[in-house]
Amino acid sequence: DANVSYSPRKIVVDNMGLMYVTSGNVNTGALLIDGENTFLGFYGINAIKETFAVMVEYMWRSILTDEQNAQSAYSFQPTEFNNLFWSSDRFVYAVSPYSATIQSPVVKLNAVGNNVFPSGAAFGDMALSRSDEQLAQDMPIFADITVDGDGLFTILDMHNGRLFQYDAECNLLAVFGGLGAQQGLFTSPVSIAADSR
């Protein structure tokens, strides 16, 4: 949309020089831009859960006029990506804010932008069997993701200051960190990186 301002937040570049760019107010995936600065389209998107409420809204929106749709109070929109990571296995890993309407706030996108993580994989506090009420109280904000050379990936929950580490099959291996001023805790974490060790 020409009315949406371009405000890039994160750029990752793959082995062929293609740029994957997250931009504020863009919830249709990452912008895919080639080395000549040509916009190629959108890459990946946070798929919406097909719940009963979503199906009812879709049905109503299909029969309402554009004016009536514009006045509708309901809207199930995908959320934008918070961060991206291009790994040596040639996948793009992405994290988004937690939302009850999207299928997953953590995705591993293949070359055509489809999530290849197992359906129903849970991440962060969702993997710890916390109730929706507990999740709403301590809403996780997945701010970053990194992948090491062994395929282990770690996501950062910026709101609670915790790091969640998984193997390539999405099995939770470790949870560490937290908010605080002592060793092993963080005051305001915003990003994460992994080195060879």
Side-chain angles (χ1 to χ4, degrees):
D1 187 340
N3 297 322
V4 175
S5 63
Y6 176 59
S7 55
R9 295 184 176 169
K10 175 75 176 192
I11 300 172
V12 294
V13 182
D14 70 11
N15 63 318
M16 299 187 317
L18 294 174
M19 293 181 282
Y20 303 83
V21 183
T22 62
S23 180
N25 302 320
V26 175
N27 63 356
T28 50
L31 289 77
L32 187 59
I33 302 170
D34 69 12
E36 304 296 320
N37 205 27
T38 303
F39 174 67
L40 303 176
F42 293 100
Y43 174 81
I45 191 168
N46 279 323
I48 300 294
K49 288 182 185 174
E50 294 182 9
T51 63
F52 179 72
V54 170
M55 296 303 206
V56 168
E57 181 189 358
Y58 181 76
M59 181 201 65
W60 277 112
R61 285 188 178 270
S62 67
I63 60 175
L64 296 175
T65 65
D66 290 341
E67 185 177 301
Q68 290 171 322
N69 274 323
Q71 295 173 357
S72 174
Y74 296 101
S75 180
F76 296 96
Q77 296 287 329
T79 56
E80 58 197 52
F81 293 132
N82 270 350
N83 225 322
L84 302 170
F85 184 88
W86 186 83
S87 70
S88 57
D89 62 2
R90 298 188 177 168
F91 286 92
V92 174
Y93 293 75
V95 291
S96 305
Y98 172 77
S99 169
T101 61
I102 62 172
Q103 288 182 2
S104 180
V106 182
V107 294
K108 179 180 179 181
L109 304 170
N110 63 13
V112 294
N114 295 329
N115 183 16
V116 297
F117 276 151
S119 177
F123 299 99
D125 285 336
M126 286 84 69
L128 302 177
S129 301
R130 298 189 71 191
S131 69
D132 287 342
E133 185 177 297
Q134 291 170 318
L135 286 172
Q137 187 175 9
D138 291 322
M139 186 66 71
I141 300 174
F142 298 127
D144 202 0
I145 186 168
T146 189
V147 184
D148 69 15
D150 296 320
L152 301 178
F153 64 96
T154 307
I155 58 175
L156 167 64
D157 173 5
M158 182 173 76
H159 181 254
N160 299 299
R162 288 195 301 253
L163 299 166
F164 296 85
Q165 192 167 64
Y166 299 85
D167 65 14
E169 284 78 41
C170 301
N171 297 306
L172 181 63
L173 303 177
V175 180
F176 53 98
L179 294 175
Q182 63 190 31
Q183 186 172 1
L185 301 179
F186 309 100
T187 53
S188 54
V190 294
S191 188
I192 182 173
D195 63 17
S196 61
R197 296 189 296 167

